[in-house]
Amino acid sequence: KERVGYPTQKPLALLERIIKSCTQENDIVLDPFCGCGTAIVGAEKLKRKWIGIDITHLAITVIRERLNDVFGFMPSYISKGEPVDLDGAYDLANNDRFQFQIWALALLGIRTEMKKGADGGVDGVQYFENGKELKKCIIQVKSGKVSVKDVRELHSVVLRENGETGLLVTLKPPTRNMVKEASTYGLYQTNRNESFPVIQIVEVKELLKHEKALKDFIPV
C-alpha cells in the first residue's frame, strides 16, 4: 500500500529504523536523491527536520502528494526550484521541455510516468467517472507556439484513444481561431446533467494563479 511506482522504493519501516538509529528529534535528515520521499516521510513522522533533493519535477510532485496523503496539508515546508510565476515557467520550458510537461501536468494535480520519446500525442490521461463507467480526458501540453492545427490534432488523438474529452495546456496564449475551433466540437454531457466542452484550452498562467483547476474541465 506504500508503493508509488518507483522501482527503487524502500519500505518506510526500514528508513524509520535507520533514522531512529542515528538521529534524535529536531536533528536534520538529508536525502540528496529522495525519489519518492520515503526518507522524508519517515523523518517527518519521527519529528526530525529534513531536506530532500531530486532532479525531476515528477519526483517533487510525488513527494508533495505523499506528504499531503500522510500528514494532510503541510504549510511548514518550502519547495525550491519549481516555477512560481510565468517567467519561471518560460525558463523551465526553454531549458527542458520534457520537465516542463511534467510540471504543467502537476499544476492540474496529475502525476504521470512519462518517458522521453514518441507519446502518440498523449502527454497525460485523467480518468473520470460518468455513471458506473470510467471515461478518459486526453491531455496535451504545449510549451511553444500554438495554432489551430494543435486543436485539430488533439481532437484526432481523443478519437483515436477512445477518449471523451481533450485538454490543451499552453504556455503561450491561444489564438482566437484556436478558441473558435475548439468550440466547434460541441459539449460532452454527463449523467449528472453537467456539460463540458469536448476540447478545452487552458493557459499555464491560469493554473499558476489558481484561476483554473482540474474540476473546471472534467467531472471530479
Side-chain angles (χ1 to χ4, degrees), residues 160-198:
R160 188 194 71 211
E161 298 294 326
N162 296 316
E164 301 295 336
T165 64
L167 178 60
L168 185 64
V169 181
T170 68
L171 178 57
K172 297 186 176 181
T175 65
R176 291 183 180 180
N177 286 338
M178 289 175 64
V179 176
K180 183 178 179 181
E181 179 71 20
S183 69
T184 64
Y185 297 108
L187 299 175
Y188 173 74
Q189 191 78 26
T190 73
N191 69 326
R192 295 181 292 182
N193 293 321
E194 296 175 301
S195 295
F196 294 86
V198 171

mmCIF file of all heavy atoms in Angstrom, residues 160-198:
data_model
loop_
_atom_site.group_PDB
_atom_site.id
_atom_site.type_symbol
_atom_site.label_atom_id
_atom_site.label_comp_id
_atom_site.label_asym_id
_atom_site.label_seq_id
_atom_site.Cartn_x
_atom_site.Cartn_y
_atom_site.Cartn_z
ATOM 1 N N ARG A 160 -8.894 8.759 -31.512
ATOM 2 C CA ARG A 160 -8.064 7.557 -31.666
ATOM 3 C C ARG A 160 -7.933 6.776 -30.364
ATOM 4 O O ARG A 160 -7.934 5.534 -30.360
ATOM 5 C CB ARG A 160 -6.681 7.967 -32.162
ATOM 6 C CG ARG A 160 -5.794 6.792 -32.547
ATOM 7 C CD ARG A 160 -4.363 7.239 -32.689
ATOM 8 N NE ARG A 160 -3.772 7.547 -31.388
ATOM 9 C CZ ARG A 160 -2.828 8.463 -31.205
ATOM 10 N NH1 ARG A 160 -2.389 9.198 -32.215
ATOM 11 N NH2 ARG A 160 -2.324 8.667 -29.997
ATOM 12 N N GLU A 161 -7.836 7.501 -29.239
ATOM 13 C CA GLU A 161 -7.628 6.865 -27.940
ATOM 14 C C GLU A 161 -8.939 6.525 -27.232
ATOM 15 O O GLU A 161 -8.921 6.136 -26.065
ATOM 16 C CB GLU A 161 -6.806 7.790 -27.045
ATOM 17 C CG GLU A 161 -5.407 8.099 -27.572
ATOM 18 C CD GLU A 161 -4.518 6.874 -27.589
ATOM 19 O OE1 GLU A 161 -4.672 6.009 -26.683
ATOM 20 O OE2 GLU A 161 -3.674 6.769 -28.498
ATOM 21 N N ASN A 162 -10.054 6.683 -27.937
ATOM 22 C CA ASN A 162 -11.382 6.407 -27.352
ATOM 23 C C ASN A 162 -11.626 7.243 -26.100
ATOM 24 O O ASN A 162 -12.203 6.775 -25.114
ATOM 25 C CB ASN A 162 -11.539 4.911 -27.018
ATOM 26 C CG ASN A 162 -11.490 4.039 -28.266
ATOM 27 O OD1 ASN A 162 -12.111 4.359 -29.268
ATOM 28 N ND2 ASN A 162 -10.738 2.952 -28.202
ATOM 29 N N GLY A 163 -11.164 8.483 -26.147
ATOM 30 C CA GLY A 163 -11.425 9.400 -25.050
ATOM 31 C C GLY A 163 -12.743 10.117 -25.242
ATOM 32 O O GLY A 163 -13.384 10.027 -26.296
ATOM 33 N N GLU A 164 -13.143 10.839 -24.224
ATOM 34 C CA GLU A 164 -14.382 11.609 -24.294
ATOM 35 C C GLU A 164 -14.094 13.094 -24.481
ATOM 36 O O GLU A 164 -14.835 13.795 -25.176
ATOM 37 C CB GLU A 164 -15.216 11.407 -23.022
ATOM 38 C CG GLU A 164 -15.610 9.964 -22.751
ATOM 39 C CD GLU A 164 -16.538 9.396 -23.811
ATOM 40 O OE1 GLU A 164 -17.229 10.185 -24.489
ATOM 41 O OE2 GLU A 164 -16.565 8.157 -23.974
ATOM 42 N N THR A 165 -13.035 13.567 -23.819
ATOM 43 C CA THR A 165 -12.693 14.978 -23.903
ATOM 44 C C THR A 165 -11.186 15.134 -24.050
ATOM 45 O O THR A 165 -10.417 14.205 -23.808
ATOM 46 C CB THR A 165 -13.157 15.753 -22.644
ATOM 47 O OG1 THR A 165 -12.453 15.263 -21.496
ATOM 48 C CG2 THR A 165 -14.654 15.599 -22.424
ATOM 49 N N GLY A 166 -10.773 16.360 -24.416
ATOM 50 C CA GLY A 166 -9.357 16.671 -24.535
ATOM 51 C C GLY A 166 -9.063 18.025 -23.927
ATOM 52 O O GLY A 166 -9.900 18.939 -23.991
ATOM 53 N N LEU A 167 -7.887 18.145 -23.331
ATOM 54 C CA LEU A 167 -7.471 19.393 -22.703
ATOM 55 C C LEU A 167 -6.103 19.779 -23.232
ATOM 56 O O LEU A 167 -5.150 19.000 -23.142
ATOM 57 C CB LEU A 167 -7.429 19.241 -21.180
ATOM 58 C CG LEU A 167 -6.965 20.457 -20.377
ATOM 59 C CD1 LEU A 167 -7.875 21.655 -20.618
ATOM 60 C CD2 LEU A 167 -6.919 20.128 -18.888
ATOM 61 N N LEU A 168 -6.013 20.981 -23.796
ATOM 62 C CA LEU A 168 -4.766 21.502 -24.324
ATOM 63 C C LEU A 168 -4.222 22.544 -23.357
ATOM 64 O O LEU A 168 -4.841 23.580 -23.133
ATOM 65 C CB LEU A 168 -5.002 22.125 -25.701
ATOM 66 C CG LEU A 168 -3.777 22.626 -26.461
ATOM 67 C CD1 LEU A 168 -2.833 21.463 -26.793
ATOM 68 C CD2 LEU A 168 -4.197 23.348 -27.739
ATOM 69 N N VAL A 169 -3.063 22.247 -22.756
ATOM 70 C CA VAL A 169 -2.415 23.162 -21.815
ATOM 71 C C VAL A 169 -1.334 23.919 -22.572
ATOM 72 O O VAL A 169 -0.411 23.314 -23.129
ATOM 73 C CB VAL A 169 -1.795 22.395 -20.626
ATOM 74 C CG1 VAL A 169 -1.154 23.368 -19.646
ATOM 75 C CG2 VAL A 169 -2.854 21.553 -19.930
ATOM 76 N N THR A 170 -1.435 25.245 -22.612
ATOM 77 C CA THR A 170 -0.499 26.037 -23.400
ATOM 78 C C THR A 170 0.255 27.026 -22.527
ATOM 79 O O THR A 170 -0.302 27.606 -21.599
ATOM 80 C CB THR A 170 -1.238 26.816 -24.509
ATOM 81 O OG1 THR A 170 -2.072 27.824 -23.927
ATOM 82 C CG2 THR A 170 -2.075 25.875 -25.352
ATOM 83 N N LEU A 171 1.535 27.211 -22.845
ATOM 84 C CA LEU A 171 2.316 28.238 -22.176
ATOM 85 C C LEU A 171 2.030 29.600 -22.797
ATOM 86 O O LEU A 171 1.857 30.589 -22.095
ATOM 87 C CB LEU A 171 3.808 27.911 -22.278
ATOM 88 C CG LEU A 171 4.774 28.922 -21.662
ATOM 89 C CD1 LEU A 171 4.478 29.149 -20.183
ATOM 90 C CD2 LEU A 171 6.216 28.456 -21.852
ATOM 91 N N LYS A 172 1.946 29.628 -24.122
ATOM 92 C CA LYS A 172 1.644 30.872 -24.818
ATOM 93 C C LYS A 172 0.135 30.998 -25.032
ATOM 94 O O LYS A 172 -0.568 29.985 -25.129
ATOM 95 C CB LYS A 172 2.391 30.912 -26.156
ATOM 96 C CG LYS A 172 3.905 30.915 -25.979
ATOM 97 C CD LYS A 172 4.628 31.098 -27.291
ATOM 98 C CE LYS A 172 6.141 31.194 -27.064
ATOM 99 N NZ LYS A 172 6.877 31.405 -28.320
ATOM 100 N N PRO A 173 -0.374 32.202 -25.107
ATOM 101 C CA PRO A 173 -1.823 32.395 -25.248
ATOM 102 C C PRO A 173 -2.350 31.769 -26.530
ATOM 103 O O PRO A 173 -1.711 31.872 -27.590
ATOM 104 C CB PRO A 173 -1.977 33.921 -25.285
ATOM 105 C CG PRO A 173 -0.736 34.455 -24.642
ATOM 106 C CD PRO A 173 0.352 33.486 -24.987
ATOM 107 N N PRO A 174 -3.501 31.111 -26.474
ATOM 108 C CA PRO A 174 -4.101 30.565 -27.691
ATOM 109 C C PRO A 174 -4.655 31.694 -28.567
ATOM 110 O O PRO A 174 -5.020 32.759 -28.062
ATOM 111 C CB PRO A 174 -5.232 29.678 -27.164
ATOM 112 C CG PRO A 174 -5.594 30.295 -25.841
ATOM 113 C CD PRO A 174 -4.316 30.833 -25.278
ATOM 114 N N THR A 175 -4.716 31.455 -29.846
ATOM 115 C CA THR A 175 -5.271 32.443 -30.764
ATOM 116 C C THR A 175 -6.796 32.379 -30.741
ATOM 117 O O THR A 175 -7.393 31.420 -30.265
ATOM 118 C CB THR A 175 -4.793 32.184 -32.192
ATOM 119 O OG1 THR A 175 -5.333 30.920 -32.642
ATOM 120 C CG2 THR A 175 -3.267 32.122 -32.250
ATOM 121 N N ARG A 176 -7.425 33.425 -31.271
ATOM 122 C CA ARG A 176 -8.883 33.429 -31.364
ATOM 123 C C ARG A 176 -9.388 32.278 -32.211
ATOM 124 O O ARG A 176 -10.425 31.670 -31.912
ATOM 125 C CB ARG A 176 -9.370 34.758 -31.948
ATOM 126 C CG ARG A 176 -9.188 35.966 -31.037
ATOM 127 C CD ARG A 176 -9.772 37.204 -31.668
ATOM 128 N NE ARG A 176 -9.610 38.370 -30.810
ATOM 129 C CZ ARG A 176 -10.026 39.584 -31.129
ATOM 130 N NH1 ARG A 176 -10.618 39.787 -32.311
ATOM 131 N NH2 ARG A 176 -9.844 40.601 -30.292
ATOM 132 N N ASN A 177 -8.649 31.982 -33.283
ATOM 133 C CA ASN A 177 -9.059 30.874 -34.149
ATOM 134 C C ASN A 177 -8.991 29.538 -33.424
ATOM 135 O O ASN A 177 -9.799 28.639 -33.691
ATOM 136 C CB ASN A 177 -8.183 30.837 -35.402
ATOM 137 C CG ASN A 177 -8.522 31.944 -36.384
ATOM 138 O OD1 ASN A 177 -9.631 32.493 -36.348
ATOM 139 N ND2 ASN A 177 -7.578 32.292 -37.247
ATOM 140 N N MET A 178 -8.039 29.393 -32.509
ATOM 141 C CA MET A 178 -7.959 28.159 -31.721
ATOM 142 C C MET A 178 -9.191 28.013 -30.828
ATOM 143 O O MET A 178 -9.786 26.930 -30.733
ATOM 144 C CB MET A 178 -6.693 28.154 -30.866
ATOM 145 C CG MET A 178 -5.407 27.983 -31.643
ATOM 146 S SD MET A 178 -3.937 28.138 -30.586
ATOM 147 C CE MET A 178 -4.155 26.727 -29.491
ATOM 148 N N VAL A 179 -9.552 29.101 -30.162
ATOM 149 C CA VAL A 179 -10.720 29.068 -29.281
ATOM 150 C C VAL A 179 -11.980 28.769 -30.094
ATOM 151 O O VAL A 179 -12.834 27.977 -29.676
ATOM 152 C CB VAL A 179 -10.862 30.411 -28.539
ATOM 153 C CG1 VAL A 179 -12.140 30.426 -27.702
ATOM 154 C CG2 VAL A 179 -9.645 30.646 -27.646
ATOM 155 N N LYS A 180 -12.079 29.392 -31.265
ATOM 156 C CA LYS A 180 -13.236 29.160 -32.135
ATOM 157 C C LYS A 180 -13.284 27.717 -32.606
ATOM 158 O O LYS A 180 -14.340 27.079 -32.624
ATOM 159 C CB LYS A 180 -13.180 30.109 -33.329
ATOM 160 C CG LYS A 180 -14.368 30.010 -34.260
ATOM 161 C CD LYS A 180 -14.254 31.027 -35.394
ATOM 162 C CE LYS A 180 -15.441 30.907 -36.345
ATOM 163 N NZ LYS A 180 -15.324 31.892 -37.470
ATOM 164 N N GLU A 181 -12.130 27.173 -32.995
ATOM 165 C CA GLU A 181 -12.060 25.785 -33.456
ATOM 166 C C GLU A 181 -12.465 24.817 -32.344
ATOM 167 O O GLU A 181 -13.216 23.859 -32.585
ATOM 168 C CB GLU A 181 -10.646 25.469 -33.933
ATOM 169 C CG GLU A 181 -10.442 24.051 -34.427
ATOM 170 C CD GLU A 181 -11.119 23.767 -35.750
ATOM 171 O OE1 GLU A 181 -11.426 24.709 -36.489
ATOM 172 O OE2 GLU A 181 -11.333 22.571 -36.051
ATOM 173 N N ALA A 182 -11.983 25.058 -31.131
ATOM 174 C CA ALA A 182 -12.323 24.174 -30.007
ATOM 175 C C ALA A 182 -13.824 24.139 -29.761
ATOM 176 O O ALA A 182 -14.393 23.091 -29.424
ATOM 177 C CB ALA A 182 -11.588 24.631 -28.751
ATOM 178 N N SER A 183 -14.479 25.273 -29.957
ATOM 179 C CA SER A 183 -15.931 25.341 -29.693
ATOM 180 C C SER A 183 -16.740 24.547 -30.702
ATOM 181 O O SER A 183 -17.898 24.187 -30.430
ATOM 182 C CB SER A 183 -16.384 26.794 -29.685
ATOM 183 O OG SER A 183 -16.307 27.363 -30.984
ATOM 184 N N THR A 184 -16.152 24.240 -31.868
ATOM 185 C CA THR A 184 -16.913 23.532 -32.903
ATOM 186 C C THR A 184 -17.123 22.060 -32.580
ATOM 187 O O THR A 184 -17.955 21.400 -33.217
ATOM 188 C CB THR A 184 -16.207 23.636 -34.271
ATOM 189 O OG1 THR A 184 -14.941 22.964 -34.214
ATOM 190 C CG2 THR A 184 -16.002 25.083 -34.666
ATOM 191 N N TYR A 185 -16.399 21.542 -31.598
ATOM 192 C CA TYR A 185 -16.512 20.115 -31.287
ATOM 193 C C TYR A 185 -17.615 19.812 -30.277
ATOM 194 O O TYR A 185 -17.808 18.658 -29.893
ATOM 195 C CB TYR A 185 -15.162 19.585 -30.799
ATOM 196 C CG TYR A 185 -14.088 19.682 -31.853
ATOM 197 C CD1 TYR A 185 -13.064 20.620 -31.750
ATOM 198 C CD2 TYR A 185 -14.122 18.863 -32.978
ATOM 199 C CE1 TYR A 185 -12.089 20.738 -32.727
ATOM 200 C CE2 TYR A 185 -13.144 18.967 -33.964
ATOM 201 C CZ TYR A 185 -12.141 19.904 -33.830
ATOM 202 O OH TYR A 185 -11.184 20.021 -34.813
ATOM 203 N N GLY A 186 -18.314 20.833 -29.843
ATOM 204 C CA GLY A 186 -19.506 20.629 -29.027
ATOM 205 C C GLY A 186 -19.228 20.326 -27.568
ATOM 206 O O GLY A 186 -18.130 20.551 -27.051
ATOM 207 N N LEU A 187 -20.264 19.781 -26.909
ATOM 208 C CA LEU A 187 -20.225 19.534 -25.471
ATOM 209 C C LEU A 187 -20.329 18.052 -25.160
ATOM 210 O O LEU A 187 -20.969 17.285 -25.901
ATOM 211 C CB LEU A 187 -21.376 20.272 -24.771
ATOM 212 C CG LEU A 187 -21.395 21.797 -24.886
ATOM 213 C CD1 LEU A 187 -22.667 22.338 -24.254
ATOM 214 C CD2 LEU A 187 -20.164 22.414 -24.240
ATOM 215 N N TYR A 188 -19.689 17.664 -24.050
ATOM 216 C CA TYR A 188 -19.830 16.305 -23.506
ATOM 217 C C TYR A 188 -20.785 16.372 -22.323
ATOM 218 O O TYR A 188 -20.596 17.146 -21.397
ATOM 219 C CB TYR A 188 -18.469 15.772 -23.061
ATOM 220 C CG TYR A 188 -18.555 14.445 -22.342
ATOM 221 C CD1 TYR A 188 -18.814 13.277 -23.041
ATOM 222 C CD2 TYR A 188 -18.395 14.368 -20.962
ATOM 223 C CE1 TYR A 188 -18.894 12.056 -22.393
ATOM 224 C CE2 TYR A 188 -18.468 13.153 -20.303
ATOM 225 C CZ TYR A 188 -18.726 12.011 -21.025
ATOM 226 O OH TYR A 188 -18.821 10.807 -20.374
ATOM 227 N N GLN A 189 -21.825 15.552 -22.372
ATOM 228 C CA GLN A 189 -22.865 15.573 -21.348
ATOM 229 C C GLN A 189 -22.665 14.401 -20.381
ATOM 230 O O GLN A 189 -22.498 13.258 -20.800
ATOM 231 C CB GLN A 189 -24.258 15.463 -21.983
ATOM 232 C CG GLN A 189 -25.418 15.734 -21.050
ATOM 233 C CD GLN A 189 -25.627 17.217 -20.815
ATOM 234 O OE1 GLN A 189 -25.266 18.032 -21.644
ATOM 235 N NE2 GLN A 189 -26.212 17.569 -19.683
ATOM 236 N N THR A 190 -22.659 14.680 -19.090
ATOM 237 C CA THR A 190 -22.542 13.621 -18.091
ATOM 238 C C THR A 190 -23.928 13.171 -17.650
ATOM 239 O O THR A 190 -24.936 13.822 -17.945
ATOM 240 C CB THR A 190 -21.765 14.106 -16.853
ATOM 241 O OG1 THR A 190 -22.595 15.009 -16.099
ATOM 242 C CG2 THR A 190 -20.481 14.814 -17.263
ATOM 243 N N ASN A 191 -23.952 12.065 -16.922
ATOM 244 C CA ASN A 191 -25.240 11.554 -16.446
ATOM 245 C C ASN A 191 -25.806 12.395 -15.304
ATOM 246 O O ASN A 191 -26.919 12.168 -14.856
ATOM 247 C CB ASN A 191 -25.096 10.093 -16.002
ATOM 248 C CG ASN A 191 -24.254 9.944 -14.748
ATOM 249 O OD1 ASN A 191 -23.302 10.710 -14.532
ATOM 250 N ND2 ASN A 191 -24.582 8.961 -13.926
ATOM 251 N N ARG A 192 -25.010 13.367 -14.837
ATOM 252 C CA ARG A 192 -25.476 14.280 -13.788
ATOM 253 C C ARG A 192 -25.902 15.631 -14.371
ATOM 254 O O ARG A 192 -25.990 16.620 -13.676
ATOM 255 C CB ARG A 192 -24.366 14.491 -12.745
ATOM 256 C CG ARG A 192 -24.011 13.235 -11.977
ATOM 257 C CD ARG A 192 -22.925 13.495 -10.952
ATOM 258 N NE ARG A 192 -21.636 13.801 -11.594
ATOM 259 C CZ ARG A 192 -20.516 14.020 -10.923
ATOM 260 N NH1 ARG A 192 -20.507 13.986 -9.604
ATOM 261 N NH2 ARG A 192 -19.390 14.291 -11.572
ATOM 262 N N ASN A 193 -26.138 15.615 -15.686
ATOM 263 C CA ASN A 193 -26.564 16.827 -16.389
ATOM 264 C C ASN A 193 -25.526 17.949 -16.313
ATOM 265 O O ASN A 193 -25.872 19.130 -16.312
ATOM 266 C CB ASN A 193 -27.922 17.327 -15.861
ATOM 267 C CG ASN A 193 -29.052 16.370 -16.189
ATOM 268 O OD1 ASN A 193 -29.088 15.799 -17.278
ATOM 269 N ND2 ASN A 193 -29.954 16.180 -15.244
ATOM 270 N N GLU A 194 -24.262 17.568 -16.267
ATOM 271 C CA GLU A 194 -23.174 18.528 -16.360
ATOM 272 C C GLU A 194 -22.655 18.538 -17.791
ATOM 273 O O GLU A 194 -22.615 17.496 -18.449
ATOM 274 C CB GLU A 194 -22.031 18.174 -15.410
ATOM 275 C CG GLU A 194 -22.398 18.223 -13.936
ATOM 276 C CD GLU A 194 -21.258 17.732 -13.068
ATOM 277 O OE1 GLU A 194 -20.826 16.577 -13.244
ATOM 278 O OE2 GLU A 194 -20.785 18.510 -12.222
ATOM 279 N N SER A 195 -22.273 19.692 -18.256
ATOM 280 C CA SER A 195 -21.759 19.814 -19.616
ATOM 281 C C SER A 195 -20.332 20.340 -19.603
ATOM 282 O O SER A 195 -20.032 21.298 -18.882
ATOM 283 C CB SER A 195 -22.648 20.753 -20.440
ATOM 284 O OG SER A 195 -23.939 20.201 -20.608
ATOM 285 N N PHE A 196 -19.470 19.691 -20.390
ATOM 286 C CA PHE A 196 -18.090 20.127 -20.530
ATOM 287 C C PHE A 196 -17.749 20.156 -22.020
ATOM 288 O O PHE A 196 -18.121 19.229 -22.748
ATOM 289 C CB PHE A 196 -17.137 19.161 -19.817
ATOM 290 C CG PHE A 196 -17.296 19.128 -18.322
ATOM 291 C CD1 PHE A 196 -18.232 18.288 -17.721
ATOM 292 C CD2 PHE A 196 -16.516 19.932 -17.505
ATOM 293 C CE1 PHE A 196 -18.385 18.259 -16.344
ATOM 294 C CE2 PHE A 196 -16.656 19.908 -16.134
ATOM 295 C CZ PHE A 196 -17.594 19.071 -15.551
ATOM 296 N N PRO A 197 -17.057 21.190 -22.476
ATOM 297 C CA PRO A 197 -16.614 21.188 -23.876
ATOM 298 C C PRO A 197 -15.759 19.962 -24.175
ATOM 299 O O PRO A 197 -14.946 19.548 -23.351
ATOM 300 C CB PRO A 197 -15.795 22.483 -23.987
ATOM 301 C CG PRO A 197 -16.350 23.367 -22.919
ATOM 302 C CD PRO A 197 -16.698 22.446 -21.780
ATOM 303 N N VAL A 198 -15.955 19.396 -25.347
ATOM 304 C CA VAL A 198 -15.179 18.224 -25.738
ATOM 305 C C VAL A 198 -13.688 18.573 -25.816
ATOM 306 O O VAL A 198 -12.838 17.807 -25.358
ATOM 307 C CB VAL A 198 -15.695 17.668 -27.085
ATOM 308 C CG1 VAL A 198 -14.760 16.576 -27.606
ATOM 309 C CG2 VAL A 198 -17.103 17.127 -26.924
#
